[in-house]
Coordinates of all heavy atoms in Angstrom, one line a residue:
M8 N 10.3 14.5 -7.0 CA 8.9 14.3 -6.7 C 8.6 13.8 -5.3 O 9.4 12.8 -4.8 CB 8.3 13.3 -7.7 CG 6.8 13.5 -7.9 SD 6.2 12.3 -9.1 CE 6.6 13.1 -10.6
K9 N 7.7 14.3 -4.7 CA 7.3 14.0 -3.3 C 6.7 12.6 -3.3 O 5.7 12.4 -4.0 CB 6.4 14.9 -2.7 CG 6.2 14.8 -1.2 CD 7.0 15.8 -0.3 CE 6.7 15.8 1.1 NZ 7.2 14.4 1.8
R10 N 7.1 11.7 -2.3 CA 6.6 10.4 -2.2 C 5.4 10.6 -1.2 O 5.5 11.2 -0.2 CB 7.6 9.4 -1.8 CG 8.6 9.1 -2.9 CD 9.7 8.4 -2.3 NE 10.6 7.8 -3.4 CZ 10.5 6.9 -4.2 NH1 9.5 6.1 -4.0 NH2 11.3 6.6 -5.1
K11 N 4.4 9.7 -1.4 CA 3.3 9.5 -0.3 C 3.5 8.2 0.5 O 4.1 7.1 -0.2 CB 2.1 9.5 -1.0 CG 1.5 10.9 -1.4 CD 0.2 10.8 -1.9 CE -0.1 12.1 -2.7 NZ -0.3 13.3 -1.8
I12 N 3.1 8.2 1.7 CA 3.3 6.9 2.3 C 2.2 5.9 2.0 O 1.0 6.4 1.9 CB 3.4 7.2 3.9 CG1 3.6 5.9 4.7 CG2 2.0 7.8 4.4 CD1 4.0 6.2 6.2
C13 N 2.6 4.6 1.8 CA 1.4 3.6 1.6 C 0.8 3.4 2.9 O 1.4 3.1 4.0 CB 2.2 2.4 1.1 SG 1.0 1.0 1.0
P14 N -0.5 3.4 3.0 CA -1.2 3.3 4.3 C -1.2 1.8 4.7 O -1.5 1.6 5.9 CB -2.6 3.8 4.0 CG -2.8 3.6 2.6 CD -1.5 3.7 1.9
C15 N -0.9 1.0 3.9 CA -0.8 -0.3 4.3 C 0.5 -0.9 4.9 O 0.4 -1.3 6.0 CB -1.3 -1.4 3.1 SG -1.2 -3.0 3.4
C16 N 1.6 -0.8 4.2 CA 2.9 -1.2 4.6 C 3.6 -0.1 5.4 O 4.5 -0.4 6.1 CB 3.6 -1.8 3.4 SG 4.1 -0.7 2.1
G17 N 3.3 1.0 5.1 CA 4.1 2.1 5.8 C 5.2 2.7 5.1 O 6.0 3.5 5.7
Y18 N 5.6 2.2 4.0 CA 6.7 2.6 3.2 C 6.3 3.7 2.2 O 5.2 3.8 1.8 CB 7.5 1.5 2.4 CG 8.0 0.4 3.4 CD1 7.6 -0.7 3.6 CD2 9.2 0.8 4.2 CE1 8.0 -1.7 4.5 CE2 9.7 0.0 5.2 CZ 9.2 -1.2 5.3 OH 9.7 -2.2 6.2
F19 N 7.3 4.6 1.8 CA 7.0 5.8 0.9 C 7.1 5.3 -0.5 O 8.1 5.6 -1.2 CB 7.9 6.8 1.2 CG 7.5 7.6 2.5 CD1 7.8 7.0 3.8 CD2 6.9 8.8 2.5 CE1 7.4 7.5 4.9 CE2 6.5 9.4 3.6 CZ 6.8 8.8 4.8
T20 N 6.1 4.6 -0.9 CA 6.2 3.9 -2.3 C 5.3 4.6 -3.2 O 5.4 4.2 -4.6 CB 5.7 2.4 -2.1 OG1 4.4 2.4 -1.5 CG2 6.6 1.6 -1.4
I21 N 4.4 5.5 -2.9 CA 3.5 6.1 -3.7 C 4.1 7.4 -4.4 O 4.3 8.4 -3.7 CB 2.2 6.5 -3.1 CG1 1.6 5.1 -2.3 CG2 1.1 6.9 -4.0 CD1 1.4 4.0 -3.2
V22 N 4.3 7.3 -5.7 CA 5.0 8.5 -6.3 C 4.0 9.1 -7.3 O 3.8 8.5 -8.4 CB 6.3 8.1 -7.1 CG1 6.8 9.4 -7.6 CG2 7.2 7.5 -6.1
S23 N 3.2 10.2 -7.0 CA 2.3 10.7 -8.1 C 2.1 12.1 -7.4 O 1.9 12.4 -6.2 CB 1.1 9.9 -8.0 OG 0.2 10.6 -8.8
E24 N 1.9 13.1 -8.3 CA 1.4 14.4 -8.0 C 0.0 14.6 -8.2 O -0.7 15.7 -8.0 CB 2.2 15.5 -8.7 CG 3.7 15.4 -8.2 CD 4.5 16.5 -8.7 OE1 4.3 17.0 -9.7 OE2 5.5 17.0 -7.9
D25 N -0.6 13.6 -9.0 CA -2.0 13.6 -9.4 C -2.9 13.6 -8.1 O -2.7 12.8 -7.1 CB -2.3 12.6 -10.2 CG -3.5 12.8 -11.1 OD1 -4.5 13.4 -10.7 OD2 -3.5 12.5 -12.4
E26 N -4.1 14.3 -8.2 CA -5.0 14.0 -7.1 C -5.6 12.8 -7.0 O -6.0 12.2 -6.0 CB -6.2 15.3 -7.2 CG -5.8 16.6 -6.6 CD -5.4 16.6 -5.3 OE1 -6.3 16.2 -4.4 OE2 -4.4 16.9 -4.8
T27 N -6.0 12.3 -8.2 CA -6.7 11.0 -8.3 C -5.6 9.9 -8.6 O -5.3 9.4 -9.7 CB -7.6 11.0 -9.4 OG1 -7.0 11.3 -10.6 CG2 -8.8 11.8 -9.1
I28 N -5.0 9.5 -7.5 CA -3.8 8.5 -7.6 C -4.4 7.1 -7.7 O -5.3 6.7 -7.0 CB -3.1 8.6 -6.3 CG1 -2.5 9.9 -6.1 CG2 -2.0 7.6 -6.3 CD1 -2.0 10.2 -4.7
V29 N -4.0 6.4 -8.6 CA -4.3 5.1 -8.9 C -3.0 4.2 -8.9 O -2.9 3.4 -9.8 CB -5.1 4.8 -10.1 CG1 -6.5 5.2 -9.8 CG2 -4.5 5.5 -11.3
D30 N -2.2 4.5 -8.0 CA -0.9 3.7 -7.9 C -1.0 2.5 -7.1 O -1.6 2.5 -6.1 CB 0.2 4.6 -7.4 CG 1.6 4.3 -7.9 OD1 1.7 3.4 -8.7 OD2 2.6 5.0 -7.5
I31 N -0.3 1.5 -7.5 CA -0.2 0.3 -6.7 C 1.2 0.2 -6.0 O 2.2 0.3 -6.6 CB -0.6 -1.0 -7.5 CG1 -2.0 -0.9 -8.0 CG2 -0.2 -2.3 -6.7 CD1 -2.5 -2.1 -8.8
C32 N 1.1 0.0 -4.6 CA 2.3 -0.1 -3.9 C 3.0 -1.4 -4.3 O 2.5 -2.5 -4.3 CB 1.9 -0.2 -2.5 SG 3.4 -0.6 -1.4
E33 N 4.4 -1.3 -4.7 CA 5.2 -2.5 -5.2 C 5.6 -3.3 -4.0 O 6.1 -4.3 -4.2 CB 6.3 -2.0 -6.0 CG 5.8 -1.4 -7.3 CD 7.0 -0.8 -8.1 OE1 8.1 -1.3 -7.9 OE2 6.7 -0.2 -9.2
V34 N 5.6 -2.8 -2.8 CA 6.1 -3.6 -1.7 C 5.0 -4.5 -1.1 O 5.2 -5.6 -0.6 CB 6.5 -2.5 -0.6 CG1 6.9 -3.3 0.7 CG2 7.8 -1.9 -1.1
C35 N 3.7 -3.9 -1.1 CA 2.6 -4.8 -0.4 C 1.4 -5.0 -1.3 O 0.6 -5.8 -1.0 CB 2.1 -4.1 0.8 SG 1.1 -2.6 0.5
F36 N 1.5 -4.3 -2.6 CA 0.4 -4.5 -3.6 C -0.9 -3.8 -3.3 O -1.9 -4.2 -3.9 CB 0.3 -6.0 -4.0 CG 0.1 -6.1 -5.6 CD1 1.2 -5.9 -6.3 CD2 -1.1 -6.5 -6.1 CE1 1.1 -5.9 -7.7 CE2 -1.2 -6.6 -7.5 CZ -0.1 -6.3 -8.3
W37 N -0.9 -3.0 -2.3 CA -2.1 -2.2 -2.0 C -2.4 -1.1 -3.0 O -1.2 -0.4 -3.5 CB -2.0 -1.5 -0.7 CG -3.1 -0.7 -0.3 CD1 -3.1 0.7 -0.3 CD2 -4.5 -1.0 0.2 NE1 -4.4 1.2 0.1 CE2 -5.1 0.2 0.5 CE3 -5.0 -2.2 0.5 CZ2 -6.4 0.1 0.9 CZ3 -6.3 -2.3 1.0 CH2 -7.0 -1.1 1.2
Q38 N -3.5 -1.0 -3.6 CA -3.8 0.0 -4.5 C -4.2 1.3 -3.8 O -5.1 1.3 -2.9 CB -4.9 -0.3 -5.5 CG -5.2 0.8 -6.6 CD -6.1 0.4 -7.7 OE1 -6.1 -0.8 -8.0 NE2 -6.7 1.4 -8.2
Y39 N -3.5 2.5 -4.0 CA -3.8 3.7 -3.2 C -5.1 4.1 -3.6 O -5.4 4.4 -4.7 CB -2.8 4.7 -3.7 CG -2.6 5.9 -2.7 CD1 -1.7 5.9 -1.6 CD2 -3.4 7.0 -2.9 CE1 -1.6 6.9 -0.9 CE2 -3.4 8.1 -2.1 CZ -2.5 8.0 -0.9 OH -2.4 9.1 -0.2
D40 N -6.0 4.4 -2.5 CA -7.4 4.6 -2.6 C -7.8 5.4 -1.4 O -8.1 5.1 -0.4 CB -8.2 3.3 -2.6 CG -9.6 3.4 -2.9 OD1 -10.1 4.6 -2.7 OD2 -10.2 2.5 -3.3
A41 N -7.9 6.9 -1.7 CA -8.2 7.7 -0.6 C -9.6 7.4 0.0 O -9.8 7.7 1.3 CB -8.2 9.2 -1.2
V42 N -10.5 7.0 -0.7 CA -11.8 6.6 -0.1 C -11.8 5.4 1.0 O -12.2 5.6 1.9 CB -12.9 6.3 -1.2 CG1 -14.3 5.9 -0.7 CG2 -13.1 7.3 -2.2
A43 N -11.0 4.4 0.5 CA -10.9 3.3 1.4 C -10.1 3.7 2.7 O -10.2 3.1 3.7 CB -10.2 2.1 0.6
H44 N -9.2 4.7 2.5 CA -8.4 5.0 3.6 C -9.0 5.7 4.7 O -8.7 5.7 5.8 CB -7.1 6.0 3.1 CG -6.4 5.5 2.1 ND1 -5.4 6.0 1.3 CD2 -6.2 4.0 1.6 CE1 -4.8 5.3 0.4 NE2 -5.2 4.0 0.7
D45 N -10.2 6.4 4.3 CA -11.0 7.0 5.3 C -11.9 6.1 6.0 O -12.5 6.3 7.1 CB -11.9 8.1 4.7 CG -11.0 9.3 4.2 OD1 -10.0 9.5 4.8 OD2 -11.5 10.2 3.3
K46 N -12.1 4.9 5.4 CA -13.0 3.9 6.0 C -12.2 2.6 6.1 O -12.6 1.6 5.4 CB -14.2 3.8 5.1 CG -15.0 5.1 5.1 CD -16.3 4.8 4.3 CE -17.3 6.0 4.4 NZ -17.0 6.9 3.4
A47 N -11.3 2.6 6.9 CA -10.2 1.4 7.0 C -10.8 0.2 7.4 O -10.2 -0.9 7.1 CB -9.2 1.8 7.9
D48 N -12.0 0.2 8.0 CA -12.6 -1.1 8.4 C -13.6 -1.6 7.4 O -14.3 -2.6 7.6 CB -13.2 -1.0 9.7 CG -14.4 0.1 9.8 OD1 -14.3 1.0 8.9 OD2 -15.2 0.0 10.6
Q49 N -13.8 -1.0 6.2 CA -14.8 -1.3 5.4 C -14.1 -1.9 4.0 O -13.1 -1.3 3.5 CB -15.7 -0.2 4.9 CG -16.6 0.3 6.1 CD -17.6 1.4 5.5 OE1 -17.9 1.5 4.4 NE2 -17.8 2.3 6.5
N50 N -14.7 -2.9 3.4 CA -14.3 -3.5 2.2 C -14.9 -2.5 1.1 O -16.0 -2.9 0.6 CB -14.7 -5.0 2.1 CG -14.2 -5.6 0.8 OD1 -13.8 -4.9 -0.1 ND2 -14.5 -6.9 0.7
I51 N -14.2 -1.6 0.7 CA -14.7 -0.8 -0.5 C -13.5 -0.5 -1.5 O -12.4 -0.6 -1.1 CB -15.3 0.6 0.0 CG1 -14.4 1.2 1.0 CG2 -16.6 0.3 0.7 CD1 -14.8 2.7 1.3
G52 N -13.9 0.0 -2.7 CA -12.8 0.4 -3.7 C -12.2 -0.8 -4.3 O -12.6 -1.9 -4.3
A53 N -11.0 -0.5 -4.9 CA -10.5 -1.3 -5.9 C -9.7 -2.6 -5.3 O -9.4 -3.5 -5.9 CB -9.4 -0.5 -6.7
N54 N -9.4 -2.4 -4.0 CA -8.7 -3.5 -3.4 C -9.5 -4.7 -2.9 O -8.9 -5.9 -2.8 CB -7.9 -3.0 -2.2 CG -6.8 -2.0 -2.6 OD1 -5.8 -2.4 -3.0 ND2 -7.0 -0.7 -2.3
H55 N -10.8 -4.6 -2.9 CA -11.6 -5.6 -2.5 C -11.3 -6.3 -1.2 O -11.4 -7.7 -1.0 CB -11.9 -6.8 -3.6 CG -12.2 -6.1 -5.0 ND1 -13.4 -5.6 -5.2 CD2 -11.4 -5.9 -6.1 CE1 -13.4 -5.2 -6.4 NE2 -12.3 -5.3 -7.0
I56 N -10.8 -5.5 -0.3 CA -10.3 -5.9 1.1 C -10.3 -4.6 1.8 O -10.0 -3.6 1.3 CB -9.0 -6.6 1.0 CG1 -8.6 -7.2 2.4 CG2 -7.9 -5.8 0.4 CD1 -7.3 -8.1 2.4
S57 N -10.6 -4.7 3.1 CA -10.6 -3.5 3.9 C -9.1 -3.2 4.2 O -8.2 -4.1 4.2 CB -11.4 -3.5 5.2 OG -10.6 -4.4 6.2
L58 N -8.9 -1.9 4.4 CA -7.4 -1.5 4.7 C -6.9 -2.2 6.0 O -5.8 -2.5 6.0 CB -7.4 0.1 4.9 CG -5.9 0.6 5.2 CD1 -4.8 0.1 4.2 CD2 -5.9 2.1 5.2
N59 N -7.8 -2.3 7.0 CA -7.3 -3.0 8.1 C -6.9 -4.4 8.0 O -6.0 -5.0 8.5 CB -8.5 -2.9 9.3 CG -8.5 -1.5 9.9 OD1 -7.6 -0.6 9.8 ND2 -9.7 -1.1 10.5
D60 N -7.7 -5.2 7.2 CA -7.3 -6.6 6.9 C -6.1 -6.6 6.1 O -5.3 -7.5 6.2 CB -8.6 -7.1 6.1 CG -9.6 -7.5 7.0 OD1 -9.6 -7.5 8.2 OD2 -10.8 -7.8 6.4
A61 N -6.0 -5.7 5.0 CA -4.7 -5.6 4.4 C -3.5 -5.4 5.2 O -2.3 -6.1 4.9 CB -4.7 -4.5 3.3
R62 N -3.5 -4.6 6.2 CA -2.4 -4.3 7.1 C -2.2 -5.6 7.8 O -0.9 -6.0 8.0 CB -2.8 -3.1 8.1 CG -2.8 -1.7 7.5 CD -3.2 -0.8 8.5 NE -3.2 0.6 8.0 CZ -4.0 1.5 8.3 NH1 -5.0 1.4 9.3 NH2 -3.8 2.7 7.9
D63 N -3.2 -6.3 8.4 CA -3.0 -7.6 9.1 C -2.2 -8.5 8.0 O -1.3 -9.3 8.6 CB -4.3 -8.1 9.6 CG -4.9 -7.3 10.8 OD1 -4.1 -6.7 11.4 OD2 -6.0 -7.7 10.9
N64 N -2.7 -8.6 6.9 CA -2.1 -9.5 5.9 C -0.6 -9.2 5.7 O 0.3 -10.0 5.5 CB -2.8 -9.6 4.6 CG -4.1 -10.3 4.6 OD1 -4.3 -11.2 5.5 ND2 -5.0 -10.0 3.7
Y65 N -0.4 -7.8 5.5 CA 1.1 -7.4 5.4 C 1.9 -7.9 6.6 O 3.1 -8.3 6.3 CB 1.2 -5.9 5.2 CG 2.6 -5.5 4.8 CD1 3.2 -5.8 3.6 CD2 3.3 -4.9 5.8 CE1 4.4 -5.5 3.3 CE2 4.7 -4.5 5.5 CZ 5.2 -4.9 4.3 OH 6.6 -4.7 4.1
K66 N 1.4 -7.8 7.7 CA 2.2 -8.2 9.0 C 2.5 -9.7 8.8 O 3.5 -10.2 9.3 CB 1.5 -7.8 10.3 CG 1.6 -6.3 10.6 CD 0.9 -6.0 12.0 CE 0.5 -4.6 12.1 NZ -0.8 -4.5 12.6
K67 N 1.5 -10.5 8.4 CA 1.5 -11.9 8.4 C 2.3 -12.4 7.3 O 3.2 -13.3 7.4 CB 0.1 -12.6 8.4 CG -0.5 -12.7 9.8 CD -1.8 -13.4 9.7 CE -2.9 -12.6 9.9 NZ -4.3 -13.3 9.7
Y68 N 2.0 -11.9 6.1 CA 2.5 -12.5 4.8 C 3.5 -11.6 4.0 O 4.1 -11.9 3.0 CB 1.4 -12.8 3.9 CG 0.3 -13.6 4.5 CD1 -1.0 -13.1 4.6 CD2 0.5 -15.0 5.0 CE1 -2.1 -13.8 5.2 CE2 -0.5 -15.5 5.7 CZ -1.8 -15.1 5.7 OH -2.8 -15.8 6.4
G69 N 3.6 -10.3 4.4 CA 4.4 -9.3 3.7 C 3.7 -8.9 2.4 O 4.4 -8.5 1.4
V70 N 2.4 -9.0 2.2 CA 1.8 -8.6 1.2 C 0.3 -8.4 1.6 O -0.2 -8.9 2.5 CB 1.9 -9.7 0.0 CG1 1.2 -10.9 0.5 CG2 1.1 -9.1 -1.3
C71 N -0.4 -7.5 0.8 CA -1.9 -7.1 1.4 C -2.9 -8.2 1.2 O -3.9 -8.2 1.9 CB -2.3 -5.7 0.7 SG -2.8 -5.9 -1.0
K72 N -2.5 -9.0 0.2 CA -3.4 -10.2 0.0 C -2.5 -11.4 -0.5 O -1.6 -11.1 -1.3 CB -4.4 -10.0 -1.2 CG -5.7 -9.4 -0.8 CD -6.5 -9.1 -2.1 CE -7.9 -9.6 -1.8 NZ -8.7 -9.2 -3.2
E73 N -2.7 -12.5 0.2 CA -1.7 -13.5 0.0 C -1.6 -14.0 -1.4 O -0.5 -14.4 -1.8 CB -2.2 -14.7 0.9 CG -1.0 -15.6 1.5 CD -1.4 -16.8 2.2 OE1 -2.6 -17.0 2.6 OE2 -0.6 -17.6 2.4
E74 N -2.7 -13.9 -2.2 CA -2.5 -14.3 -3.6 C -1.6 -13.5 -4.4 O -1.2 -13.8 -5.4 CB -3.9 -14.2 -4.2 CG -4.5 -12.9 -4.3 CD -6.1 -12.7 -4.6 OE1 -6.9 -12.9 -3.5 OE2 -6.4 -12.7 -5.7
F75 N -1.3 -12.3 -3.8 CA -0.3 -11.4 -4.6 C 1.1 -11.7 -4.2 O 2.0 -10.7 -4.5 CB -0.6 -9.9 -4.4 CG -2.0 -9.6 -5.1 CD1 -2.9 -8.9 -4.4 CD2 -2.3 -10.2 -6.3 CE1 -4.1 -8.6 -4.9 CE2 -3.6 -9.9 -6.9 CZ -4.6 -9.1 -6.1
K76 N 1.4 -12.6 -3.3 CA 2.8 -12.6 -2.7 C 3.9 -12.7 -3.6 O 5.0 -12.3 -3.2 CB 2.8 -13.7 -1.6 CG 2.8 -15.0 -2.1 CD 2.8 -16.0 -1.0 CE 2.6 -17.5 -1.3 NZ 2.1 -18.3 -0.4
N77 N 3.7 -13.2 -4.9 CA 4.9 -13.3 -5.9 C 5.0 -11.9 -6.6 O 5.9 -11.8 -7.5 CB 4.7 -14.4 -6.8 CG 4.6 -15.7 -6.0 OD1 5.4 -15.9 -5.1 ND2 3.8 -16.7 -6.5
M78 N 4.1 -10.9 -6.4 CA 4.2 -9.7 -7.0 C 4.8 -8.7 -6.4 O 5.1 -7.6 -7.0 CB 2.7 -9.2 -7.3 CG 1.8 -10.3 -7.9 SD 1.9 -10.6 -9.5 CE 1.0 -9.2 -10.1
V79 N 5.3 -8.8 -5.2 CA 5.9 -7.7 -4.3 C 7.3 -7.8 -4.2 O 8.0 -8.9 -4.5 CB 5.1 -7.6 -3.0 CG1 3.7 -7.3 -3.1 CG2 5.3 -9.0 -2.3
R80 N 8.0 -6.8 -3.7 CA 9.4 -6.8 -3.5 C 9.6 -6.0 -2.2 O 8.8 -5.4 -1.5 CB 10.1 -5.9 -4.6 CG 9.5 -4.5 -4.8 CD 10.5 -3.7 -5.6 NE 9.9 -2.3 -5.9 CZ 9.7 -1.3 -5.1 NH1 10.2 -1.6 -3.8 NH2 9.2 -0.1 -5.4
K81 N 10.9 -6.1 -1.7 CA 11.3 -5.4 -0.5 C 11.4 -3.9 -0.8 O 11.7 -3.5 -1.9 CB 12.7 -5.9 -0.1 CG 12.7 -7.4 0.3 CD 12.7 -7.5 1.8 CE 12.8 -9.0 2.3 NZ 11.6 -9.7 2.2
P82 N 11.2 -3.0 0.3 CA 11.3 -1.7 0.1 C 12.7 -1.3 -0.2 O 13.7 -1.9 0.2 CB 10.8 -1.2 1.4 CG 11.1 -2.2 2.4 CD 10.8 -3.5 1.7
L83 N 12.8 -0.2 -1.1 CA 14.1 0.3 -1.4 C 14.5 1.4 -0.4 O 13.7 1.8 0.5 CB 13.9 1.3 -2.7 CG 13.4 0.3 -4.0 CD1 13.2 1.3 -5.1 CD2 14.4 -0.8 -4.2
E84 N 15.9 1.7 -0.4 CA 16.4 2.6 0.6 C 15.6 3.9 0.7 O 15.3 4.4 1.8 CB 17.9 2.8 0.0 CG 18.7 3.6 1.2 CD 19.2 2.6 2.2 OE1 18.9 1.4 2.2 OE2 19.9 3.1 3.1
D85 N 15.3 4.5 -0.5 CA 14.7 5.8 -0.5 C 13.0 5.7 -0.2 O 12.3 6.6 -0.2 CB 14.9 6.5 -1.7 CG 14.4 5.9 -3.1 OD1 13.9 4.8 -2.9 OD2 14.5 6.5 -4.1
E86 N 12.6 4.5 0.1 CA 11.1 4.3 0.5 C 11.0 4.2 2.0 O 9.9 4.1 2.5 CB 10.6 3.2 -0.2 CG 10.4 3.4 -1.8 CD 10.1 2.2 -2.6 OE1 10.2 1.0 -2.0 OE2 9.8 2.3 -3.7
L87 N 12.1 4.1 2.7 CA 12.1 3.9 4.2 C 11.6 5.2 4.8 O 12.0 6.2 4.4 CB 13.5 3.4 4.7 CG 14.2 2.2 4.0 CD1 15.5 1.8 4.6 CD2 13.2 1.0 4.3
P88 N 10.9 5.0 5.9 CA 10.4 6.2 6.7 C 11.4 7.1 7.1 O 11.3 8.4 6.9 CB 9.6 5.6 7.8 CG 9.3 4.2 7.4 CD 10.4 3.7 6.4
E89 N 12.6 6.6 7.4 CA 13.7 7.6 7.9 C 14.3 8.2 6.8 O 15.0 9.3 7.1 CB 14.7 6.8 8.6 CG 15.5 5.5 7.8 CD 14.8 4.3 8.3 OE1 13.5 4.2 8.3 OE2 15.5 3.2 8.2
N90 N 14.1 7.9 5.5 CA 14.6 8.8 4.4 C 13.5 9.7 3.8 O 13.8 10.1 2.7 CB 15.1 7.7 3.4 CG 16.3 6.9 3.9 OD1 17.1 7.5 4.7 ND2 16.5 5.8 3.5
N91 N 12.4 9.8 4.3 CA 11.4 10.6 3.8 C 10.9 11.7 4.8 O 11.3 11.8 6.0 CB 10.2 9.8 3.4 CG 10.5 9.0 2.0 OD1 10.3 9.7 0.8 ND2 11.0 7.9 2.1
Ligands
LIG110 ZN1 2.4 -0.7 0.6

């Protein structure tokens, strides 16, 4: 199955062939949301945070929202950009 890149952390964690993907990235806890991805500076959709803010948080805390920091894990070998 083809993996999709998570727009927040940049690892290939999203595994779904469905058009309406509702997968949550296990590395940064971002919920895959095509609408929010097109409007990265707006707080819309299921994440209740803009994608740009989520990316900043991932750089700072290693998670899209600090409150989820115990929910995430390190990326796996086959989720690394060089393996996709
Ligand atoms: Zn992610």
Side-chain angles (χ1 to χ4, degrees):
M8 198 181 289
K9 188 100 178 70
R10 289 172 179 273
K11 287 183 195 295
I12 191 166
C13 170
C15 180
C16 65
Y18 294 109
F19 285 75
T20 51
I21 309 297
V22 184
S23 176
E24 294 189 327
D25 203 321
E26 279 297 301
T27 54
I28 300 165
V29 285
D30 205 0
I31 292 179
C32 174
E33 293 179 12
V34 172
C35 70
F36 223 67
W37 176 259
Q38 183 168 334
Y39 197 92
D40 183 338
V42 177
H44 301 167
D45 288 339
K46 299 187 170 81
D48 59 339
Q49 288 180 37
N50 177 355
I51 50 171
N54 290 287
H55 304 291
I56 183 175
S57 76
L58 177 55
N59 287 339
D60 286 346
R62 285 172 174 154
D63 285 347
N64 284 340
Y65 183 71
K66 280 184 208 136
K67 274 187 252 175
Y68 311 118
V70 61
C71 75
K72 273 175 133 175
E73 213 185 345
E74 65 196 85
F75 297 137
K76 67 181 175 209
N77 295 324
M78 313 283 283
V79 293
R80 59 164 172 76
K81 293 265 183 280
L83 304 174
E84 192 79 357
D85 61 356
E86 293 168 347
L87 301 177
E89 59 264 38
N90 296 328
N91 281 273

